[in-house]
Amino acid sequence: MPADGGLAVTTDTPTTVEWLTAEQQTHWRAFRGGSARLFAALEHELERDTGLSTHEYEVLVRLSETPDRTLRMAQLADNLAHSRSRLTHTIRRMEEQGLVERLPCIEDARGVNCTMTEKGWQVLVAAAPSHVQSVRDHLVDILTPEQFAALGDAMETVRLHLTGGACHVE
Amino acid sequence: MPADGGLAVTTDTPTTVEWLTAEQQTHWRAFRGGSARLFAALEHELERDTGLSTHEYEVLVRLSETPDRTLRMAQLADNLAHSRSRLTHTIRRMEEQGLVERLPCIEDARGVNCTMTEKGWQVLVAAAPSHVQSVRDHLVDILTPEQFAALGDAMETVRLHLTGGACHVE
DNA sequence: CCGTGGTTGTTGAACTGTCAACCAAACTGT
DNA sequence: ACAGTTTGGTTGACAGTTCAACAACCACGG
């Protein structure tokens, strides 16, 4: 979509920007358009089947992967690439639903430990099959293994570039 | 991220869902995490450099590509994969900024034609170089041409699958 | 100790997107 | 001609996100 500048004809270029070729433009639009529709579809199906948003789902996933199902707010925010503020709001809502709870952190009095409740665990277990199926239906199973692997590798390169290489799991 | 269900150990599976392999999980997480960070970075840089959101930018791009810089609301919404409602709100805001204007449609009295103004055009021309550079910096130029092409091809497959094959330009 | 600066997390206001309800105009079939 | 349905678009209430300001705490150097 945008990367070509959208200028119907590549008119006078005020700066020395190198425009995208027609091919690059096509790929870029496919990537943007495909990603947008894919994430929208996954979001919609998860919401419909389980009542969770993908963000809530991911919070639960991250918590479920630690030994004590607990994570500091900052680590959670970094993992999810969400702002602190956004995470605070999300966690407050999830706490109201009984999916997680917040406890003060002993080692660092500034910190807050976020733990998933038993209910949160059960909600995640109930939601996972549906979501996995969605991901298969709309992405994994419609690509060849090579295509899917190439997709992952390319985006891993992008991620490393953006996080300066120094970054966490996700 | 989620597709593995996040269940630290693949415990008892209540349904007959086929989970993702460790490799698939890795690729899926890379794709989701990389995409999220990439789009966030592009959004942030465009906003910082030009004051436009990527959505507003795309509206202008789409309009700029038609002969008369005009598109029906529904076509615009389809192109962008946005809901009608969302587009109405977006266009109202852009109209207030003088970037576009809405005119009744002659052929179909239900319809509304959205046209980009001269100011809108100039804003787009001014914004494009910066945005193209961002896309190059964070995506196009850090991948090999083959990687980037594979990315585009894969996501085009995804897009076609989601739109039932019958779909527009984007 | 005290102060300075950086980190952690929260808050509230403003903004953006979603959802359901709605109106008006166009098609459809009789 | 005309009820019923579909399409195009808007609206307002609500939910989620961003942003700037803030409070509490750590860490380090005088």
Side-chain angles (χ1 to χ4, degrees):
Chain A
M1 38 112 309
D4 53 349
L7 312 181
V9 181
T10 303
T11 55
D12 54 320
T13 313
T15 76
T16 58
V17 174
E18 191 180 350
W19 296 94
L20 297 186
T21 66
E23 261 187 47
Q24 288 174 327
Q25 188 189 132
T26 300
H27 294 320
W28 164 241
R29 291 201 181 201
F31 173 64
R32 197 188 232 298
S35 298
R37 287 166 219 264
L38 172 62
F39 291 134
L42 296 176
E43 180 78 48
H44 181 258
E45 290 180 11
L46 185 64
E47 157 68 30
R48 182 199 48 178
D49 296 343
T50 74
L52 289 173
S53 73
T54 54
H55 300 313
E56 293 169 328
Y57 183 86
E58 285 198 55
V59 167
L60 294 179
V61 169
R62 291 301 194 283
L63 292 175
S64 78
E65 289 170 343
T66 66
D68 49 0
R69 295 182 187 170
T70 299
L71 232 36
R72 285 282 297 274
M73 293 293 280
Q75 298 171 32
L76 206 41
D78 287 348
N79 279 346
L80 301 172
H82 288 182
S83 70
R84 302 268 165 105
S85 163
R86 179 180 180 181
L87 186 65
T88 296
H89 289 304
T90 301
I91 293 298
R92 181 181 45 68
R93 289 187 291 262
M94 292 180 73
E95 203 170 19
E96 286 165 6
Q97 300 173 45
L99 301 175
V100 299
E101 59 186 351
R102 279 178 290 188
L103 298 170
C105 179
I106 313 295
E107 313 89 65
D108 184 343
R110 292 169 301 183
V112 170
N113 279 320
C114 181
T115 305
M116 103 195 272
T117 62
E118 180 57 26
K119 177 181 176 190
W121 170 260
Q122 285 169 7
V123 166
L124 176 58
V125 169
S130 156
H131 187 58
V132 173
Q133 195 58 54
S134 289
V135 174
R136 282 202 171 278
D137 288 347
H138 302 308
L139 182 67
V140 181
D141 288 349
I142 65 172
L143 299 177
T144 66
E146 294 74 25
Q147 271 186 307
F148 183 54
L151 192 69
D153 289 342
M155 293 317 291
E156 176 66 8
T157 302
V158 170
R159 191 182 70 73
L160 289 175
H161 174 81
L162 280 170
T163 54
C167 202
H168 334 274
V169 223
E170 155 111 314
Chain B
M1 36 115 307
D4 52 348
L7 312 181
V9 181
T10 303
T11 54
D12 53 323
T13 312
T15 79
T16 58
V17 174
E18 190 179 351
W19 296 94
L20 298 186
T21 67
E23 260 186 48
Q24 288 174 327
Q25 188 187 134
T26 301
H27 293 320
W28 163 243
R29 292 202 181 202
F31 173 65
R32 195 184 234 300
S35 298
R37 286 165 220 265
L38 172 61
F39 292 133
L42 295 177
E43 179 79 48
H44 181 257
E45 289 179 12
L46 185 64
E47 157 69 31
R48 183 198 49 182
D49 296 344
T50 75
L52 289 173
S53 73
T54 54
H55 300 313
E56 293 170 327
Y57 182 86
E58 285 198 54
V59 167
L60 294 179
V61 168
R62 291 301 193 284
L63 291 176
S64 78
E65 289 172 343
T66 67
D68 49 0
R69 296 183 188 171
T70 297
L71 233 36
R72 287 281 297 275
M73 292 293 279
Q75 298 171 33
L76 206 42
D78 287 348
N79 279 345
L80 302 171
H82 288 183
S83 70
R84 302 269 164 101
S85 161
R86 178 178 181 181
L87 186 67
T88 296
H89 289 306
T90 302
I91 293 299
R92 182 180 43 69
R93 290 188 289 261
M94 292 179 73
E95 203 170 21
E96 286 165 6
Q97 300 172 46
L99 300 175
V100 299
E101 58 187 351
R102 279 179 290 186
L103 298 169
C105 180
I106 313 294
E107 313 89 66
D108 185 343
R110 292 169 302 181
V112 171
N113 280 320
C114 182
T115 306
M116 98 195 274
T117 62
E118 179 57 26
K119 178 181 174 190
W121 171 261
Q122 285 169 8
V123 166
L124 176 59
V125 170
S130 154
H131 186 58
V132 173
Q133 194 59 54
S134 290
V135 174
R136 282 202 170 280
D137 289 347
H138 302 309
L139 181 68
V140 181
D141 289 349
I142 65 172
L143 299 177
T144 66
E146 294 74 25
Q147 271 186 309
F148 183 54
L151 193 66
D153 290 342
M155 294 316 292
E156 177 64 8
T157 301
V158 171
R159 192 182 71 71
L160 289 176
H161 174 81
L162 280 170
T163 54
C167 199
H168 333 274
V169 224
E170 153 118 318

